[in-house]
Structure formats: C-alpha cells, structure tokens
Amino acid sequence: MADQPPQPLDVIQRWMQSVIVHPAGVAAGIDSASHTGEIEQGADRVDELICRSRAQTSIERLEVYSNAYKARLIEVLIGEYPAFVHALGEEAFVGLASGYLEVHPPASYTLGELGRFFADYLLETRPPNESEDGSPDWADFLIDLARLERCYSEVFDGPGIEELPPLDAERFRHLSPEQWITCRLVAAPCLRLAAYRFPVHEYASAVRHQQEPESPIAQVTRLAIHRREYVVRRTTIDAIQFGLLTRLVEGASIGQALEQLIEANSQAVVTADELSAWFRDWAAAGFFIGLAT
Amino acid sequence: MMPIPRCGHPNLGLGVGLRTVHFPYLLQHQPEVDWFEVISENFMDSRGRPRDVLDQLAERYPIVMHGVSLSIGSTDPLNLDYLRKLKSLADAVQAKWVSDHVCWTGVASRNSHDLLPLPYHEQSLQHVVERIRIVQDVLQRQLVLENPSSYVTFTASTMSEAEFVARMAEEADCGLLLDVNNIYVSSINHDFDPFEYLDAIPAHRVVQFHLAGHTNLGTHLIDTHDSHVTDPVWELYRKAHLLTGGASTLLEWDAKIPPFPIVHAEVMKARDYMSSALGSYRSRPANDQLQANSTVPHPATAVFAEVE
Ligand SMILES: [Fe+2]
C-alpha cells in the first residue's frame, strides 16, 4: 500500500479508461497514455500503479476489463442487430462493430443508446457501389437492414398507443365531404414510415424465426412500422399509400395530402372507396389516434 | 442507542432479479415470489413492454431498483437528468429502496458499462461520501450501495475495500447491499480472507444481500452470474446472515438464464443456510469447476425488441 500521496482520482480514472478501451489492447493503451497523458509509467512499469496478483501480472489484470469492455458492448450490438449479424457473419460483424465503437463509444447511462448511430456509421464507411448500373448492392442491403433493426428497437421501447382508446374507424363514415377534406389525423407516436431498397423486413423476420434466409434481391420496399400490444408490427404499403401517409404524418389535412399526391404523381388513381377502405384499415391498425376537424 | 437493523428497511425475504426472458412466465403464472429486483436503466426510459410488465408486477410484488450507471465514484459531474428519472421511476413503482455499486462506470462523458473499481484512500472516500449525500438529497431517500467484484487493485490504496465500504456507509449514512459472491470473487482475485471482510462491515447497515454464480478461470474468478451459487459463497452467506440477523436476499442470474422455476429454486436454497451452525467451506470440495470459455462479467443487461 502506498506511502506517497496518490494520483488525483480524475487522473487515474482517465488513465484507466483510456487503457481498457484502447483498440490495440492494454499494453498499447498504457504506452500511448504515457506519451500523452498525466501518467508517465509505460507498460514495463505499470505495476507501480496496478498491483499484480499471485497468478496474474498487472497487465493481465487490466486485460480482464479491456476484454470485458469490448465483449459486452459487442454482445449488446449482436442482440440489437440479429439479422444484420446473420447476413454479415459473426466474425466480420465483430470487426465492424469494433470500428463502430471506436467512433461512437458509449456515452449514455443506458445500453439502449449504444446502437443508435450504427446505420449512420455504415453509411459513412461503406465501400463504393460497384454494380454497373448503380443498382442497390450488398452494402445497401446491410445499411437498410441496420436501419430497420434500429427502428424496431426505437418503436419497441418508445411511446405507444396501448393506453389510449382506439380511434373508431366508423368516425370516417360520418364525416361530411367538407369535414373530410379539412380534417387532420393525429399519428400514433409509434408510427414510422420508411422506404428500403430490399425487402429487409422479410429477411429480419426470417432470422428472428431461426430460419436461414437467402440474401434478397433488390426491390423497393415501403413499410409502416408500428406497435400494438407492445409488439412491433410492420405492414408493407405501396408508393401512393406511402406518399399519403407521409404527408398526413407531417400534418397535412387529408385534402392537402391528396392534392399534393396528385401533383407529385399524375398517374395516381385512387377511388373514393379505396381511400375510405385505407383510412379504416389504418385507424384499425392504430396508425392514427385522433381526428381534428 | 442500538443501531436499527437494515437501516430500518424490511426483510423482504428471498427474491429474484427480474429478467426479460421470464416476462411471459411471470405474467402467466404469477408465481409465489417474495420480491423482485429490477435493473433501473432498463425501465427508466421505457415506454413499451418492459415498463408495462414492471407496472403489472409492481401491483403484486415488492420492487427494489438496482442501477448500474450511477457511477458514484466517477470524477465526472453527477448526471442530474439520470437522477431525476431514477427518482420518478422509484416513486412510480414504489421501490422499497434504490441501489447501485461502489464503483465508477466511466469518465470524460463516457460510460464503459462496467463496474470499475476505485483506489481506496482518503481522497476517494471523501469524494464518494460527498456524492452519496447529493444523490440522497436528489432522490429524497437513502441510497444503498453494493460492493462490486473486481479484477485489479491499486498501489495507491491505503485501506481495504471492507474498511472503505464500512467508513463510506457510516460517514454518508447510506445502506449497504452486500454481494456475497462479489466478496468471494474479489477475495480470490486479491487474496484476502472473505470472512474477515464480513467482520469489518457494519452489520446493521446491510439492507440486502446478493447471491450469484461466478466463473473460475484458474488464475482468477469472474463474476458472470451465469450459474448456480457455489458452496463457498453459501458458507459466506451463512455467516453474513448470522452477523446481520438476516436481510432481503436476491439471486442474480444474467447469462445462460434457465427457466424461472430453476432461478427461483436457487434462491430458495438460502433457507438452508439460515441456521446458526457455521460450516467450513475449506474442508469441503467446492463445486467450483474450472472454465476455459470466454466470459463477460456482469453487467450486460440490455433489452431487445419483440417483433411480429
Ligand atoms: Fe450484485
């Protein structure tokens, strides 16, 4: 035990953290800290700071923390991105996740934040698309899969509609044409609309059901991702439904949303019957929780 | 004046750490369990199924909140937003008490999500005591702190962990969560006598016990929470029970989690060690097999999405 005054606590904490999170390992971390930090001891003198035990050197003891740091965080990412891991393979994923953790080290009190920027990281570090016609490639598939799995996490644990009374689909029937055009819908807080370049939802579900899905062929896929009874649900929607829902969620009235949709796509032909069926389905599915007339 | 046992908290009996894999079983069977401990961080932001399940269980069972990110020993400022969320969850589920660890989890705005040990000296003691007082003010309740398992010790330490924990509890007037498995794990890793450790702890401040399994890697033990409680840990528990007169006891099982009845049966074994006769683990073959596989120490608890 020490007879000299100890290193200030903040100094020893910054040192230990930098050592155990160093990507090249503990010994490299100690040497790197000795060049730049407030602690001069290199790897050969680390037992001046950390006691050795009967069976382990000081470096081996620090390695318990450094191994645990990486293993624990990667385990959490594997839990959040199971389909992505299945697609890439666990070994390659560990390499990729290690790079991610260097750029986005954990900073929150909750592990729920750990994977937040994973898809962004993939986008920033992706290899160039090598397909001749610029069609979506393997990296696009992986990025979309990561976006979907992160969306699942956020919808699963975010605010939902379970405690709210359902929006009565019959209310749409009783609106006058005038009310119908001007009314706005209040979207459920758990509703997300997302477009992907592959049917990533099918791949993700297959993995979650312990199947061995083939890598899918590119195909534009639009999803409404939502939650009912605390379980994440996803519904495929077509381009017109996607456009309409997106505008409604952004706060447009039904009339405005339809108008914009026709402006953007003169081919869009939707009958009044189709429209009212959609709205009933969306209300029943819990996409919307209120009507403001 | 006679000190009040358990800092005045009730002895809730034998409880189990709530884990998401057991949610369906618990909701369906509503088993007879004395109480549950929940990982605070998995519920404080949840507005989905985890929180809903907790609310349902809180109606039927006493709930204790156990955190892993308070970072009471860090030299970073305390996270007041975190503390407010902790308090509001504690109020909502009527937590019997709120606990965390004698450790730091990160510095410079990072969180290693590990329970990192402190050097034990006057400076770190004063630092921790001061922060416990602030936390107790914000939470408006007494904090309960747990001894962590550790894998390094610092040459700068001037006192044992037991002395640090004992003085910390007295000076900050906080409760203690004595993790008997952690004492054992650290006693092997750092070569001290775990029974002497128990003797140094102010018994009346022990609000709760933790029991868990660990992994023996030959050169050191790791606190993996992935198996049964070992015999030497049970013997320590026997003595801890004797010294304190008994306190709420909880089993933690965080990896390779078996079905709920097996986890519950494990904590029920504690009844066998509440008799006064002291056994001797030294003369008994320990059920402590060497493991060669890779291991992740506690904590690694995260919640993952359920998708249709
Ligand atoms: Fe514990």
Side-chain angles (χ1 to χ4, degrees), chain A residues 1-2 9-10 13 17 48-49 51 54 56 61 65 69 72 76 105-106 108-109 157-158 208 227 230 232, chain B residues 45-47 52 69 73 75 85 104 106-107 110-111 113 117 151 153 155 157 189-190 220 297 299 306 308:
Chain A
M1 295 203 184
L9 195 55
D10 59 331
Q13 288 183 342
Q17 180 172 281
E48 291 173 24
L49 301 164
C51 310
R54 278 205 295 198
Q56 286 188 296
R61 303 184 89 193
Y65 288 101
Y69 172 75
R72 171 181 301 114
V76 172
S108 167
Y109 56 84
D157 216 23
R208 282 162 190 254
R227 192 178 85 198
Y230 297 111
V232 179
Chain B
D45 291 307
S46 173
R47 297 183 64 189
D52 175 61
S69 288
T75 47
K85 286 178 177 164
W104 58 290
V107 72
R110 284 177 67 160
N111 185 355
H113 292 285
Y151 312 100
T153 48
T155 57
S157 288
N189 294 346
H190 312 317
H220 59 291
E306 283 170 65
E308 182 183 45

Side-chain angles (χ1 to χ4, degrees), chain B residues 124 254 285:
Chain B
S124 58
D254 288 292

Side-chain angles (χ1 to χ4, degrees), chain B residues 66 101 146-147 177 179 182 210-212 223 225 252 298:
Chain B
H66 183 53
H101 302 81
E146 170 181 354
N147 58 297
L177 193 180
D179 187 315
N182 287 350
H210 266 172
L211 293 165
D223 176 37
H225 297 185
E252 301 180 284
H298 166 76

